[in-house]
Amino acid sequence: MATVLSIWIFIGLLFSSAVAAQRSFFPAAIPLAVRSPHFSVWYQNTAGGQPLPNSWPFFWNGPIIGWAGRIRVDEVTYSWMGDDGIWNSTAIVVDIQITPTRSIFVMQAGPMNVTVTYLSPIEPSDWVNQSIPFSYVSVEAQSLDGATHNVQMYSDISSELVTGIRPSGTQGGAAVRWQNNRTAQTLYHETEPETLQQYTEISEQAQDGRGYYAMALSPGLTWEIDTDVVCRHQFANTGNLTNTQQATFGPMGQPWYVFAIAMDLGTIQSTSSPVTWAIGYVRDPIAPYTTPSGVTEVRRPYWTTRYSDVSALIDAFVADYPAAHDRALALDERILADAAKISPQYGDLVSLVARQVMSALDITVLGGSGNDGDVTDVKAFMKDIGSTLRVNPVESMFAAFPTYLYLNASLGGALLAPLLQSQDNLVGQAYAAQDIGANYPNATGTRGAHQQGIEQSGNMLIMMYAHARVSGDGSLLSRHYDTAKRWADYLVNNTLTPLNQDSADGLTNPNMTNLAIKGIIGVKAMAEISRATQHDSDAQQYDSRATALAGSWLSLAESSDQQHLLGQYGDQSSSAMLYNIYADLLLNTSLISQDVLAKQTQYYNTLLQSAGPLGLYFDNALSDLKLASSAWSLFTAATVMDDGVRNQLVQYAWDRASFNKTGGQFPDVYDYTTGAISDNRGGRAGPALGAMFAPLALTVPNTTIVVSGSSPLGDNPGSPGSGNNPGSAESNDKPNIGAIVGGAVGGVVFLAIALGAGFFFWRRRRQQRARAAYHHKEDILEHPQPYEYGLASQREYSPNRYVDADTRRVEAGTTDHPTHPSLSDAQYASPYPIVGSSKARERAREMEQRYPMSPSGSAEPGPTTPRTPSSEVMSSGTESSSATGGSGVNTVSTTDLLGLRAEVENLRRVMQGIREERLDPPPQYGN
Ligand SMILES: *[C@@H]1O[C@H](CO)[C@@H](O)[C@H](O)[C@H]1NC(C)=O
Ligand SMILES: *[C@@H]1O[C@H](CO)[C@@H](O)[C@H](O)[C@H]1NC(C)=O
Ligand SMILES: *[C@@H]1O[C@H](CO)[C@@H](O)[C@H](O)[C@H]1NC(C)=O
Ligand SMILES: *[C@@H]1O[C@H](CO)[C@@H](O)[C@H](O)[C@H]1NC(C)=O
Ligand SMILES: *[C@@H]1O[C@H](CO)[C@@H](O)[C@H](O)[C@H]1NC(C)=O
Ligand SMILES: *[C@@H]1O[C@H](CO)[C@@H](O)[C@H](O)[C@H]1NC(C)=O
């Protein structure tokens, strides 16, 4: 048996080596179940880290989510998710594909090819479906050797979904309750904190929600609620669960109770349909929203308009899997086909961010009737995840807006609605508010004076008009006309020479070129808003104002040689990405001439020659911080007139997206020399990355604005999504095959070819980089980093690379910048395996807490005494847990496995040597 297992592992390693060489996109975090601001579960994919089969998923900002998956093949249990050591072996990941709606892990578990698909639906045209805070994980398996095999599947989730582990690894969590329940078609587990604390967060996990794990009832299904050790051993030993639950509740953790569902498939050659679990995190109500008259509305999730309770919701969601999967495929295909028209790598960017941008929203209604009727007064709330955590943060909405415009512009209207309502008749403040609350989900209303008047007024007017011209819904324009006019008048008076104005990027210097043009485009947007609402004399007035302002702006903004635009009027050394010009193209307002754009494009081209390894600053006024912004790089990319320059900007964002030497999700703001995430947050997992859709939003057609039509954004009944619905549009285009990284590797026979081709492409990429004058220090950056999993020796990286955002804000004089009650560095850093060795330490500490070692330090094997896996994990150190020799649970010794690895490494080196000698000249690097 041991020998058979070793052989399978060996073949698996060969597969993984081959595919690792072929893959090219290596984001440090991959979305698993990402549906709402409080339901955001990821896989940490850092170089030197562990593959999914021996890694715990984590909540976006760090805490582990105890979510485990197993497949038992001919009585041998393989892990496909979770790091507890209760398995005979781990499945071997051979490929990962990321599409806008799915993360797909192709693995090998002994004689079976196992495909694990994490699907977080994006349903832009059906707001009931979009608002359902559930995701699917489904597993398919096919025999690799043609024979039939006896197969069972298992997965469980712990209460970490509803409370989260306490910061700094303190013991246990809140007391939790649970129950198992079923409907006619579905079995589900429910867990919740014993004390629900409404609208409260701890480490950004909500404390007022319920967690669910569900599966369609069918023969072969068994379930259990007990400790992790009991449930997982029960499955490993028997392939079935006991259909029983622990009657006594406990704390979340110590011991770790889990909610398990297993499926016995019997003897099969392949699964006839995927085995699918539904995982959900439900909050109801969503948010308290204080209206301008001081009434606090209790906002409920949009799905409550169709489903009267959670069991009906779960039933529908579980039964909908095949159709939801089809819709997801169609949407992915559509997005990737559109993305392929921009550049080859662009599809990866939109795929990585689409789920998180949609998940930043909670779509709500007042009431919720459960009868699918009168959907009125829809409001969407956005959490500024990964950044300030505010409610409907206007500058992040502005960055995210291209995604909503592209997917369904009406979403933008639902987001604008509460901001606009809050500011009608707001006395004494001529400019727009920054948000409607400092701490999600408390939408307490506007918060008084601030220094971002131009920034936020410009953002609001641009978004109002953008929403209306793409959706055709002019109801917000007419209802809030006076408010818009107040902001436009403010801009007319103030935007040309911004003084005492902050940008949302933390800049405070006077006369920012980029800020000024945003305000001017805002004035022009007001002219269009006036026109659409038949205020013709206003339209003429704002038109002429905007034109005059744009003319003055150009004379102030141009460099003395008139060859490019400055970052700050008159300062010839100033230089910035003038990303706000994007709005001029988006709205087709044509304030900036083609000639100016062409010269600016050339200028960016010149700047890019001396960009950092991971991109270009967005403003050299912040050059000491070496900050790049992926969002503003993409806005800028969408404005340039040369595809080469555009693609280079896209490439830099992609380079950072594919940079996996630091932990954490693809950030908006980062250090372009080291990749370090600004502020240790940098907008990661948050909405601002919706800017990746900037080039695509320019392709969305506009439509006639109807002012009196029905709209759900207020008092008139109607249905959202009319006029712009690419999600369900037919498309005959093929998906971007390049973006869905090809995963098929036929067999061992092709290993050599695959390795060779892999290195060829890898090397070719390096040469392309060299041609693009890509100046970088090889010792810092060798990314993208192929998966090395446990094969790589742990590397040391400097831990202290994070930019201190508070320092930046103080320096920039913006001490009133909204900040969340801050967590200590340790709280952010500790769950993150940012540094190889500290990761190992963290892991060990975590495991120690979960599975304390017995005093003797040795485990007592035997089916009657469920053994804790601590000794195996501790003894195997940082090595892959599949190599836990001599433990009695695993049958391959460490030495055996290391031998196999050495063989594979040698083979790879030999192949690399051959390629280097025969195919390619050595890469040239610019210097
Ligand atoms: C798998 O592990 C169980 C104990 O958990 C052990 O009894 C069994 O022999 C192992 N199977 C193989 C093939 O190693
Ligand atoms: C199961 O769910 C139904 C419907 O939601 C509910 O009425 C019932 O109380 C639940 N059963 C248990 C044991 O809680
Ligand atoms: C929201 O407000 C409630 C009531 O004041 C408070 O208990 C809660 O902590 C607030 N939530 C956040 C995230 O600040
Ligand atoms: C699980 O239980 C069912 C019903 O008792 C049985 O038919 C099946 O063989 C069991 N599966 C395994 C893997 O033992
Ligand atoms: C704009 O400036 C004019 C003239 O100084 C003034 O009358 C008007 O009140 C100002 N409007 C706003 C909104 O600041
Ligand atoms: C494994 O399954 C995936 C899809 O689920 C497929 O693309 C791949 O070719 C299969 N691999 C092998 C070796 O059969």
Side-chain angles (χ1 to χ4, degrees):
M1 200 52 136
T3 318
V4 172
L5 191 55
S6 318
I7 288 168
W8 284 122
I9 289 175
F10 176 68
I11 291 171
L13 288 173
L14 296 183
F15 272 128
S16 82
S17 310
V19 181
Q22 284 186 326
R23 291 194 57 235
S24 63
F25 189 49
F26 297 94
I30 294 176
L32 297 181
V34 175
R35 273 319 293 273
S36 82
H38 295 103
F39 182 38
S40 184
V41 183
W42 297 70
Y43 160 53
Q44 177 82 288
N45 183 41
T46 315
Q50 297 297 332
L52 186 61
N54 44 1
S55 164
W56 289 118
F58 68 104
F59 188 66
W60 75 263
N61 70 336
I64 286 174
I65 301 291
W67 190 13
R70 304 286 183 265
I71 179 170
R72 188 171 180 263
V73 184
D74 301 331
E75 296 174 23
V76 180
T77 302
Y78 301 85
S79 173
W80 48 264
M81 174 169 61
D83 185 19
D84 55 20
I86 309 177
W87 55 60
N88 296 107
S89 180
T90 52
I92 289 155
V93 179
V94 296
D95 189 28
I96 302 175
Q97 303 164 16
I98 302 169
T99 75
T101 61
R102 293 168 295 154
S103 297
I104 303 160
F105 294 75
V106 181
M107 308 190 191
Q108 192 212 335
M112 302 301 280
N113 181 23
V114 177
T115 304
V116 184
T117 301
Y118 295 84
L119 167 61
S120 289
I122 292 175
E123 305 263 13
S125 61
D126 183 331
W127 290 5
V128 168
N129 285 346
Q130 178 57 41
S131 69
I132 296 175
F134 275 76
S135 290
Y136 302 101
V137 55
S138 59
V139 183
E140 293 161 276
Q142 301 108 33
S143 167
L144 285 164
D145 58 6
T148 57
H149 297 278
N150 193 246
V151 176
Q152 293 84 37
M153 296 196 192
Y154 169 98
S155 182
D156 69 42
I157 182 80
S158 84
S159 293
E160 280 152 300
L161 190 62
V162 297
T163 71
I165 195 161
R166 288 298 163 268
S168 311
T170 49
Q171 296 265 314
V176 287
R177 275 192 295 257
W178 52 76
Q179 69 168 21
N180 174 264
N181 206 339
R182 67 180 66 199
T183 68
Q185 296 127 56
T186 310
L187 174 127
Y188 67 90
H189 299 304
E190 178 183 82
T191 177
E192 64 182 7
E194 222 156 64
T195 312
L196 293 162
Q197 296 168 262
Q198 197 167 55
Y199 308 137
T200 302
E201 293 180 343
I202 295 177
S203 293
E204 305 196 30
Q205 269 188 279
Q207 303 299 310
D208 58 355
R210 298 179 173 88
Y212 294 91
Y213 214 35
M215 187 181 272
L217 286 166
S218 73
L221 185 153
T222 54
W223 60 273
E224 190 163 345
I225 300 178
D226 209 318
T227 65
D228 51 354
V229 173
V230 169
C231 290
R232 293 171 196 159
H233 272 122
Q234 170 68 31
F235 175 77
N237 292 337
T238 70
N240 272 333
L241 297 172
T242 57
N243 299 334
T244 59
Q245 55 187 316
Q246 273 286 342
T248 319
F249 301 141
M252 189 282 297
Q254 312 286 15
W256 301 87
Y257 285 95
V258 296
F259 312 98
I261 303 175
M263 175 59 67
D264 184 358
L265 297 166
T267 301
I268 57 166
Q269 201 172 32
S270 69
T271 45
S272 53
S273 60
V275 175
T276 303
W277 291 260
I279 179 172
Y281 179 68
V282 176
R283 293 181 59 246
D284 179 15
I286 295 279
Y289 163 68
T290 308
T291 69
S293 55
V295 177
T296 297
E297 294 179 352
V298 175
R299 307 294 309 189
R300 298 194 60 201
Y302 195 101
W303 60 260
T304 58
T305 61
R306 188 176 301 164
Y307 305 109
S308 54
D309 59 33
V310 175
S311 62
L313 173 74
I314 292 176
D315 238 10
F317 185 79
V318 167
D320 193 38
Y321 177 73
H325 188 255
D326 286 352
R327 290 195 300 277
L329 255 57
L331 180 65
D332 286 348
E333 191 169 322
R334 160 92 188 194
I335 294 173
L336 292 172
D338 287 351
K341 295 172 194 155
I342 306 291
S343 83
Q345 290 174 321
Y346 180 59
D348 289 337
L349 285 181
V350 291
S351 292
L352 185 59
V353 305
R355 278 165 282 180
Q356 80 188 45
V357 180
M358 294 301 283
S359 79
L361 305 183
D362 273 319
I363 307 176
T364 71
V365 289
L366 197 55
S369 56
N371 60 9
D372 219 353
D374 292 353
V375 178
T376 62
D377 190 12
V378 180
K379 290 184 171 60
F381 296 95
M382 172 189 278
K383 177 173 176 177
D384 202 15
I385 294 174
S387 186
T388 63
L389 315 180
R390 288 140 61 220
V391 186
N392 291 28
V394 175
E395 74 284 357
S396 294
M397 280 169 50
F398 178 69
F401 228 60
T403 301
Y404 306 130
L405 290 175
Y406 174 79
L407 289 172
N408 182 350
S410 296
L411 289 164
L415 269 170
L416 289 168
L419 277 161
L420 290 166
Q421 188 189 54
S422 295
Q423 294 177 75
D424 285 341
N425 311 315
L426 189 65
V427 183
Q429 186 169 306
Y431 52 84
Q434 296 169 287
D435 53 55
I436 48 169
N439 298 103
Y440 202 88
N442 291 336
T444 47
T446 57
R447 298 188 296 125
H450 61 82
Q451 296 296 110
Q452 299 179 6
I454 295 174
E455 172 90 76
Q456 306 298 14
S457 304
N459 287 339
M460 287 298 292
L461 290 168
I462 290 164
M463 287 190 285
M464 283 176 80
Y465 179 48
H467 159 252
R469 75 191 289 272
V470 176
S471 70
D473 177 359
S475 62
L476 293 176
L477 305 187
S478 58
R479 192 172 310 134
H480 305 286
Y481 186 79
D482 292 343
T483 304
K485 196 163 148 54
R486 188 171 79 232
W487 297 335
D489 290 343
Y490 173 83
L491 290 174
V492 167
N493 278 12
N494 293 285
T495 196
L496 183 59
T497 51
L499 294 174
N500 300 316
Q501 291 277 343
D502 296 355
S503 81
D505 299 327
L507 289 152
T508 55
N509 49 307
N511 293 325
M512 282 179 255
T513 311
N514 188 41
L515 187 61
I517 194 63
K518 172 177 281 180
I520 296 167
I521 298 166
V523 174
K524 180 72 178 178
M526 187 67 215
E528 300 299 340
I529 290 169
S530 304
R531 213 179 325 277
T533 53
Q534 277 91 48
H535 294 86
D536 292 337
S537 70
D538 281 0
Q540 278 172 20
Q541 197 213 328
Y542 290 115
D543 261 338
S544 60
R545 292 286 193 178
T547 307
L549 287 168
S552 307
W553 174 82
L554 185 60
S555 60
L556 290 165
E558 267 190 328
S559 59
S560 49
D561 62 2
Q562 301 189 333
Q563 290 309 299
H564 67 94
L565 299 165
L566 301 168
Q568 180 177 344
Y569 299 159
D571 180 350
Q572 301 302 321
S573 68
S574 66
S575 154
M577 285 193 188
L578 299 189
Y579 62 81
N580 285 319
I581 288 175
Y582 173 69
D584 192 38
L585 282 88
L586 183 68
L587 303 180
N588 198 24
T589 37
S590 307
L591 291 171
I592 312 296
S593 72
Q594 298 285 299
D595 175 49
V596 170
L597 280 183
K599 283 193 282 192
Q600 190 65 7
T601 300
Q602 273 319 304
Y603 180 60
Y604 292 140
N605 195 26
T606 312
L607 294 180
L608 284 168
Q609 304 311 312
S610 53
L614 289 168
L616 183 62
Y617 54 80
F618 55 86
D619 197 309
N620 76 350
L622 295 173
S623 59
D624 54 326
L625 297 174
K626 300 185 168 40
L627 293 181
S629 158
S630 336
W632 304 147
S633 294
L634 263 288
F635 268 47
T636 306
T639 67
V640 300
M641 297 187 69
D642 177 273
D643 286 354
V645 177
R646 180 193 66 193
N647 293 352
Q648 186 60 45
L649 286 162
V650 170
Q651 163 87 48
Y652 278 128
W654 187 96
D655 282 343
R656 182 58 187 82
S658 186
F659 178 77
N660 65 0
K661 288 196 171 180
T662 58
Q665 298 84 354
F666 174 36
D668 174 15
V669 186
Y670 59 92
D671 181 319
Y672 55 74
T673 59
T674 64
I677 298 171
S678 166
D679 190 359
N680 212 354
R681 299 177 145 244
R684 61 198 169 83
L689 276 301
M692 297 305 106
F693 279 76
L696 286 186
L698 295 184
T699 67
V700 175
N702 63 323
T703 183
T704 308
I705 299 173
V706 179
V707 169
S708 57
S710 71
S711 162
L713 308 173
D715 311 322
N716 309 315
S719 60
S722 54
N724 169 37
N725 186 9
S728 62
E730 291 299 320
S731 170
N732 295 322
D733 293 339
K734 287 265 191 305
N736 179 357
I737 304 296
I740 306 172
V741 178
V745 177
V748 184
V749 213
F750 298 114
L751 172 68
I753 299 165
L755 276 173
F759 280 109
F760 175 73
F761 286 117
W762 176 69
R763 291 173 51 79
R764 199 172 67 169
R765 188 178 136 64
R766 283 161 60 109
Q767 286 159 5
Q768 281 164 351
R769 242 163 225 259
R771 261 182 248 122
Y774 189 87
H775 305 268
H776 71 244
K777 291 205 192 77
E778 271 287 277
D779 55 345
I780 302 177
L781 293 167
E782 309 150 33
H783 71 95
Q785 181 79 14
Y787 275 131
E788 297 180 86
Y789 293 146
L791 295 171
S793 57
Q794 301 290 336
R795 289 186 191 156
E796 292 285 345
Y797 299 106
S798 160
N800 297 317
R801 290 190 296 173
Y802 286 93
V803 176
D804 183 340
D806 287 326
T807 308
R808 169 162 69 89
R809 289 189 190 117
V810 171
E811 280 168 2
T814 55
T815 43
D816 63 342
H817 192 104
T819 51
H820 195 256
S822 63
L823 296 168
S824 69
D825 281 355
Q827 279 169 288
Y828 286 121
S830 69
Y832 271 93
I834 290 163
V835 186
S837 57
S838 101
K839 189 242 168 187
R841 274 197 304 277
E842 260 326 303
R843 191 66 244 148
R845 201 185 320 147
E846 175 68 24
M847 294 307 295
E848 213 161 9
Q849 277 158 2
R850 291 194 159 205
Y851 308 108
M853 281 219 253
S854 56
S856 68
S858 68
E860 323 86 280
T864 49
T865 321
R867 46 199 299 281
T868 65
S870 54
S871 59
E872 289 120 286
V873 173
M874 303 314 278
S875 66
S876 64
T878 59
E879 282 298 327
S880 159
S881 303
S882 60
T884 51
S887 69
V889 169
N890 300 286
T891 53
V892 183
S893 77
T894 308
T895 11
D896 282 352
L897 198 63
L898 288 176
L900 294 177
R901 286 176 182 170
E903 291 289 280
V904 173
E905 273 305 299
N906 284 338
L907 187 51
R908 288 165 79 180
R909 284 204 197 91
V910 168
M911 295 307 299
Q912 183 176 17
I914 291 168
R915 303 315 328 171
E916 266 165 10
E917 276 169 32
R918 299 210 181 148
L919 284 182
D920 297 313
Q924 303 294 317
Y925 289 93
N927 43 30

